[in-house]
Amino acid sequence: MIQSVFRTAVARYKTVREQMRQHSYRYKNEEDKWVQVPRDLTWLVKPIQFRQPQADLVRQSNYAFVDKMQQISMTTLGKRTKLGFTNKGFEKYFADGWKLGTAKLVHTRGKWFLHIGITKEVSDFDTKDNPQIVGIDRGLRFLATVFDSKGKTLFFNGQKILHRRKKFLEIRRQLQSKGTRSAKKKLKQLAQRENRWMTDVNHRLAKTLVALYGSHTLFVLEDLTNV
């Protein structure tokens, strides 16, 4: 568990470092020209903080399903503990050849959730089956650009999405500038609302693509520059 703390902290710093590398500091110089300055971890004002209790658990070593999958046995700071759990809606992932990997135990909104990475080996793609191949590129100006094997291109305009995200950003900045307890509470509610909205947008986009191209389609995420 101590080793997982190191891994989690290092992974978070790597993520932040990449984010800072992608977003340079911009300012206007005396000649009124924009100047970009690369950023790295030295720009952090204070160390990264983990406010949400969480732990990484290695399969069989830190957690295991016991009593015919009725309980989960987990390592805690005190002792090995057996707990009941609910897997409603996820039963198929505990069978049918799925392999369970490292899990992350997270405490949020008064409940504990166990996020488990799973993998499954599948047969190689058979080109003889002749599915329709559709390439998808995600972006901001266009929520999605789609190019199919027939040479047809579709664009899903993302301007309305971008406009609403800017509104969320403006509200977030206003609340952050206040720094009061009620402002922090509203910030949390705003983040949850934005996540639900974006999840719904992605879900509707996915349903639209499946309905448009049918089930016998291979969707591929790719870079469609200058399509």
Side-chain angles (χ1 to χ4, degrees):
M1 293 181 76
I2 293 173
Q3 292 294 330
S4 75
V5 171
F6 294 150
R7 288 195 296 269
T8 301
V10 168
R12 186 65 58 87
Y13 273 100
K14 284 182 177 179
T15 300
V16 172
R17 182 180 63 183
E18 183 62 22
Q19 290 172 344
M20 297 182 82
R21 187 188 67 79
Q22 292 177 0
H23 299 86
S24 302
Y25 175 69
R26 299 173 73 246
Y27 69 95
K28 282 188 176 181
N29 59 15
E30 297 176 353
E31 299 174 358
D32 202 33
K33 292 183 178 180
W34 284 104
V35 178
Q36 288 191 349
V37 180
R39 297 194 301 166
D40 55 27
L41 290 177
T42 59
W43 283 66
L44 286 177
V45 178
K46 57 183 179 181
I48 295 172
Q49 295 180 341
F50 292 81
R51 292 187 178 89
Q52 217 176 33
Q54 60 183 35
D56 289 335
L57 305 175
V58 178
R59 171 78 164 153
Q60 299 300 353
S61 177
N62 301 128
Y63 82 96
F65 292 98
V66 296
D67 299 335
K68 297 181 180 179
M69 299 293 291
Q70 296 301 308
Q71 285 190 312
I72 183 171
S73 175
M74 299 170 56
T75 300
T76 68
L77 295 177
K79 61 179 181 179
R80 191 84 176 186
T81 305
K82 288 184 179 181
L83 299 165
F85 65 94
T86 176
N87 64 342
K88 188 177 180 180
F90 296 91
E91 298 90 345
K92 65 179 181 180
Y93 297 112
F94 290 86
D96 198 25
W98 290 96
K99 183 179 178 182
L100 279 62
T102 299
K104 183 180 288 290
L105 185 66
V106 179
H107 186 255
T108 179
R109 283 174 279 176
K111 294 182 179 180
W112 289 95
F113 297 89
L114 190 66
H115 300 170
I116 306 175
I118 60 173
T119 56
K120 182 180 181 180
E121 288 190 13
V122 295
S123 57
D124 291 337
F125 172 61
D126 187 4
T127 54
K128 295 179 181 178
D129 199 25
N130 292 324
Q132 181 174 203
I133 301 175
V134 176
I136 306 171
D137 193 359
R138 301 298 307 272
L140 294 176
R141 193 162 65 91
F142 290 103
L143 191 61
T145 302
V146 180
F147 185 78
D148 60 31
S149 52
K150 297 178 181 178
K152 186 178 179 181
T153 306
L154 289 177
F155 297 94
F156 292 85
N157 198 317
Q159 292 298 327
K160 289 183 179 179
I161 306 297
L162 201 58
H163 180 68
R164 188 167 179 181
R165 293 188 77 169
K166 285 182 179 179
K167 279 191 173 181
F168 276 117
L169 182 61
E170 289 173 6
I171 298 172
R172 194 180 301 113
R173 284 174 176 169
Q174 292 173 5
L175 292 172
Q176 287 173 340
S177 64
K178 291 182 179 179
T180 61
R181 183 177 295 180
S182 61
K184 290 179 180 178
K185 185 179 179 180
K186 288 182 179 179
L187 267 172
K188 188 175 181 180
Q189 292 173 345
L190 183 70
Q192 292 172 357
R193 191 171 73 189
E194 186 177 5
N195 285 337
R196 289 195 300 269
W197 165 70
M198 203 63 224
T199 300
D200 180 61
V201 169
N202 288 329
H203 178 66
R204 283 189 282 121
L205 175 62
K207 283 189 70 176
T208 300
L209 289 172
V210 172
L212 186 64
Y213 288 103
S215 59
H216 195 60
T217 305
L218 175 66
F219 291 100
V220 183
L221 291 172
E222 57 184 343
D223 183 6
L224 296 175
T225 305
N226 300 322
V227 64

